[in-house]
Amino acid sequence: MKIIAHRGLSSQYPELTESAFVHALELPIHGIETDLRLSRCGELVNIHDPVISRVSDGRGRVSAMDLTTLRTFNFGTRQAPERVLTLDDLLDIMEDYPDKHLYIESKHPMRYSIMLEEQIVRVLRYRGLSEDPRIHVISFSLPAIHWMSRLAPSIDRIHLRRAWERWINPTDRRLGDPTGLGLSIERARLNPSLIGRKNLPTYLFTVDKPRDVLWAQDHGVDMLATNVPDEVAQVLDTGVAPAMYANAHGKEE
């Protein structure tokens, strides 16, 4: 089972920052996950929320600010300030880790629609990565998956199922052309048959508890996104949760 650091090593460092990514890439894991949004000037920035107040000392919508403005805010801590990273910045970092994979989540809905995927593909093509098997695009948006299939058909495309689909899409009908399917650990436990559905690899999110990690391994999950990739790697290696990890997450079953 492949371990993916959700927003970098986000349990120990500010999410989606250089420190979070570098420390995650140093771990014996498969790769890292990031979230991309488009700024007003067309730059791809690693920010999860549509607004920056939760993750920085600034306020405002990502789509309404240009990169110069975004870089005036601190996305790190008071003791260790960090600026927002662009996709190019992150790909520069990853050049030092040629064995690691990158999972790019395109964030929708947003005002620029398909322009987000167009810019992702533009950057990947410029850097010679538009057919690289280490690059994966994931999204909750089926239109985004469809656009990626047209813009860069060689790139792995994973559609993330939303929780409410268990009511409005109980038979797991899937439009578009995803090459992988994702779901939450909560929904997977409710319906394990969704794992491996349509003979596609399964991306499971966001799994932090040891019992869930081992359950996912036993049920044939292919890719597992977690906020604690260092601890998950140890759980999979030994089958036992480290004492500090177990205490942090409560008593395990």
Side-chain angles (χ1 to χ4, degrees):
M1 186 166 61
K2 299 169 181 174
I3 305 171
I4 301 158
H6 182 242
R7 307 182 197 174
L9 189 50
S10 55
S11 61
Q12 298 182 33
Y13 301 91
E15 67 180 54
L16 304 176
T17 60
E18 181 175 359
S19 59
F21 288 131
V22 169
H23 285 90
L25 289 165
E26 293 287 344
L27 298 172
I29 62 173
H30 174 67
I32 58 175
E33 180 265 357
T34 190
D35 301 286
L36 287 185
R37 291 189 175 274
L38 206 58
S39 71
R40 188 179 66 181
C41 60
E43 284 285 351
L44 294 161
V45 288
N46 295 272
I47 301 175
H48 178 272
D49 300 351
V51 296
I52 65 171
S53 53
R54 181 180 65 85
V55 293
S56 78
D57 59 358
R59 297 179 63 184
R61 299 191 71 84
V62 177
S63 61
M65 291 184 281
D66 58 26
L67 182 61
T68 300
T69 302
L70 285 167
R71 282 189 163 162
T72 65
F73 302 118
N74 176 20
F75 285 77
T77 64
R78 288 185 179 181
Q79 296 75 23
E82 299 194 59
R83 68 177 190 175
V84 66
L85 294 180
T86 66
L87 176 57
D88 267 317
D89 293 331
L90 180 53
L91 293 173
D92 285 342
I93 292 170
M94 293 201 67
E95 287 183 354
D96 293 331
Y97 304 90
D99 60 325
K100 294 296 195 288
H101 287 235
L102 174 61
Y103 290 75
I104 298 170
E105 182 177 343
S106 61
K107 302 300 294 184
H108 290 277
M110 47 92 76
R111 67 175 67 183
Y112 301 121
S113 188
I114 191 177
M115 290 175 63
L116 176 58
E117 281 67 35
E118 289 175 337
Q119 287 295 86
I120 290 172
V121 172
R122 179 190 64 82
V123 170
L124 294 178
R125 282 179 177 163
Y126 182 80
R127 300 185 69 116
L129 298 172
S130 60
E131 298 183 2
D132 196 309
R134 298 170 302 162
I135 303 296
H136 315 259
V137 171
I138 65 178
S139 184
F140 285 99
S141 166
L142 268 176
I145 298 299
H146 172 70
W147 294 330
M148 285 302 303
S149 71
R150 296 295 184 89
L151 295 167
S154 296
I155 292 291
D156 189 32
R157 305 174 299 279
I158 301 171
H159 181 237
L160 307 177
R161 304 162 170 112
R162 294 187 183 276
W164 42 256
E165 287 193 47
R166 66 178 180 268
W167 293 295
I168 70 168
N169 187 19
T171 60
D172 202 34
R173 296 175 60 190
R174 201 64 40 194
L175 301 175
D177 189 28
T179 56
L181 294 173
L183 74 162
S184 68
I185 178 60
E186 293 80 12
R187 191 178 179 202
R189 278 189 170 274
L190 286 172
N191 188 357
S193 68
L194 290 173
I195 297 171
R197 181 69 67 89
K198 301 183 185 296
N199 294 317
L200 293 176
T202 297
Y203 178 102
L204 196 66
F205 59 90
T206 302
V207 187
D208 295 339
K209 296 179 179 179
R211 62 174 178 268
D212 289 334
V213 172
L214 296 174
W215 182 92
Q217 184 182 47
D218 290 342
H219 284 77
V221 167
D222 302 278
M223 298 156 282
L224 184 143
T226 177
N227 295 307
V228 286
D230 50 340
E231 305 291 358
V232 168
Q234 188 169 345
V235 169
L236 292 178
D237 185 52
T238 64
V240 178
M244 182 183 299
Y245 182 45
N247 291 337
H249 290 80
K251 184 178 179 181
E252 293 300 324
E253 296 173 352

